[in-house]
Amino acid sequence: MRWGRTAVLATVTAVGAGAAALLAGRVVSDFSVRPRGAAPAAAGGLRVHSLAAGRVELTRSWETQRPGRYALEWSDGHAVVGDVVGTTAQTVVRRLESAGTDGADPLSVGTTVRITPQVLTGDPRSALGLEFSEIHVRGELGPMPAWYLAGVRDLCVIAVHGIGADRRQALPLLPMLTRLKAPVLVVTYRNDEGAPRSSDGLTHLGETEWRDVEAAIRLAVDGGARRILLYGWSVGATMALQAAARSDHREAVRGLVLDSPVLDWQDTVRRQATRRGVPGPLAELGMRAAQGRSSVDPAEFDRIALGDGLTVPVLLLHSADDTVAAVGPARALARRREELVVYEEYAGAEHEALWNADPQRYEATLLRFLTPLL
């Protein structure tokens, strides 16, 4: 709460209440239109209390108590932890699946760590031993880096990471997709590292970014793919949904996988602010400023989010405990288009961390959905 109150008081004192509201709303909107920092499921300032064979004891927090697989990061180190095996009033004991990378500072008692969903680092070859090509998708702003993993199917999977994440978000799913012999294109889009910057450097909540997904569809189709499956996380899932509805190549799209999609952008913008301690009225101003800065069309966004015009099968994955994208709109979409939507809901999982919460269930659900499409 301190951040929000301090910002409001300082701004009011400097320039007066009316101008202050506009300026403060713009500052708060940066949480959504200039996303940065860790994923919602990440947390820092945690300490390693003890280590034993295959076990690590960590500071107790909401994040360290979540079920599933996560990474620990420190200085230049990276380790992977599994299920919770015990708790005390102040600590959590988890299985230690890997203790760190070669050449990095070792994980040791007293090390301050951050827990994050990113269990895999590097690229498909270094992380998983999978061969791939580094290519570029040519979008309207210029070439955008992409990983391409070859396959023999005529169905190409295009994976679109969430805003604030990067291509590594797709790494855990690549072994399954390659076993299914599907070509996979893991893309970037405007304002990503290595990709062209937009003139304002802002994210537009998918309103412009979906055209970069369309460019990836065009590349895949020109390369011989007869069918496309779009797979997205968070706003990347929103982009996939928009591309399926708006692209000139939408007839090639034969399925969608939407993980933690942002279907109510106004609520998500407010949540991005209130999660950082911004008071409700100021969060509302931030939402209105974000709408103006992103040029999002609320009516068109809502129409697509409700599934109007949806014609292909959808696997919709969401969490009841998502603090960024409320679960209600996902449930509503599943009910409204139940003839097309397969809906899976997870408990105890944070935004974009559904695979982490239950990798076996997640992959089994994905396999059941994909098999008939192949």
Side-chain angles (χ1 to χ4, degrees):
M1 297 294 289
R2 185 180 302 120
W3 182 93
R5 290 171 181 162
T6 301
V8 173
L9 290 173
T11 312
V12 168
T13 300
V15 295
L22 293 175
L23 179 57
R26 185 179 178 87
V27 170
V28 171
S29 72
D30 275 358
F31 294 136
S32 297
V33 299
R34 295 187 188 275
R36 55 190 179 273
L46 308 169
R47 190 169 66 85
V48 175
H49 292 258
S50 70
L51 286 165
R55 299 287 188 272
V56 58
E57 185 179 18
L58 301 164
T59 306
R60 184 170 178 171
S61 69
W62 286 113
E63 292 79 12
T64 56
Q65 294 179 90
R66 292 188 187 279
R69 298 183 72 213
Y70 295 87
L72 300 180
E73 297 177 350
W74 66 98
S75 56
D76 63 344
H78 182 272
V80 178
V81 295
D83 293 333
V84 174
V85 295
T87 60
T88 70
Q90 296 183 330
T91 64
V92 173
V93 179
R94 302 189 74 115
R95 289 192 176 90
L96 184 61
E97 296 185 4
S98 70
T101 53
D102 293 338
D105 293 336
L107 185 64
S108 58
V109 175
T111 300
T112 299
V113 298
R114 187 167 75 100
I115 190 165
T116 168
Q118 192 172 293
V119 298
L120 295 173
T121 61
D123 59 38
R125 185 180 297 112
S126 62
L128 298 162
L130 297 175
E131 291 304 313
F132 76 103
S133 301
E134 183 80 53
I135 66 172
H136 286 82
V137 174
R138 183 159 293 280
E140 62 185 8
L141 299 183
M144 301 169 291
W147 294 330
Y148 177 71
L149 291 84
V152 300
R153 305 280 188 181
D154 68 358
L155 176 76
C156 179
V157 178
I158 298 178
V160 189
H161 67 79
I163 288 178
D166 57 36
R167 285 181 286 179
R168 292 175 294 179
Q169 191 164 46
L171 286 173
L173 284 308
L174 295 184
M176 169 185 286
L177 296 175
T178 55
R179 285 196 301 270
L180 293 174
K181 302 186 185 305
V184 184
L185 188 60
V186 186
V187 301
T188 58
Y189 44 85
R190 61 193 68 193
N191 298 317
D192 277 348
E193 183 177 354
R197 284 182 59 82
S198 61
S199 58
D200 57 11
L202 304 179
T203 174
H204 289 247
L205 304 172
E207 184 67 24
T208 56
E209 293 87 353
W210 75 267
R211 297 199 293 270
D212 296 338
V213 179
E214 180 181 42
I217 297 172
R218 182 171 60 248
L219 176 67
V221 170
D222 289 347
R226 297 177 57 191
R227 299 176 297 144
I228 302 294
L229 182 131
L230 298 177
Y231 195 136
W233 290 260
S234 186
V235 176
T238 310
M239 294 177 209
L241 191 59
Q242 291 176 320
R246 304 166 77 175
S247 171
D248 291 340
H249 302 279
R250 58 185 176 275
E251 72 283 350
V253 177
R254 301 299 176 85
L256 296 166
V257 179
L258 308 177
D259 183 320
S260 310
V262 173
L263 300 175
D264 182 341
W265 68 268
Q266 293 174 325
D267 180 68
T268 292
V269 170
R270 294 186 194 99
R271 284 169 173 250
Q272 293 277 48
T274 56
R275 287 177 68 248
R276 293 167 170 83
V278 176
L282 185 53
E284 185 69 20
L285 288 174
M287 183 276 292
R288 295 182 184 279
Q291 178 179 344
R293 299 175 75 189
S294 66
S295 302
V296 65
D297 180 343
E300 179 67 4
F301 190 104
D302 292 346
R303 185 188 71 79
I304 293 173
L306 286 169
D308 285 358
L310 195 62
T311 61
V312 298
V314 177
L315 176 58
L316 177 56
L317 307 162
H318 214 92
S319 171
D321 299 296
D322 191 317
T323 64
V324 173
V327 73
R331 292 171 177 167
L333 174 59
R335 288 193 302 267
R336 192 168 189 266
R337 300 307 310 270
E338 61 181 357
E339 78 280 9
L340 289 175
V341 176
V342 176
Y343 181 58
E344 286 279 325
E345 187 169 302
Y346 292 72
E350 182 51 285
H351 187 66
E352 301 179 271
L354 307 184
W355 179 88
N356 300 84
D358 194 339
Q360 290 185 332
R361 175 189 170 191
Y362 190 104
E363 292 178 17
T365 300
L366 182 59
L367 182 61
R368 285 195 302 271
F369 178 75
L370 289 179
T371 300
L373 298 179
L374 295 173

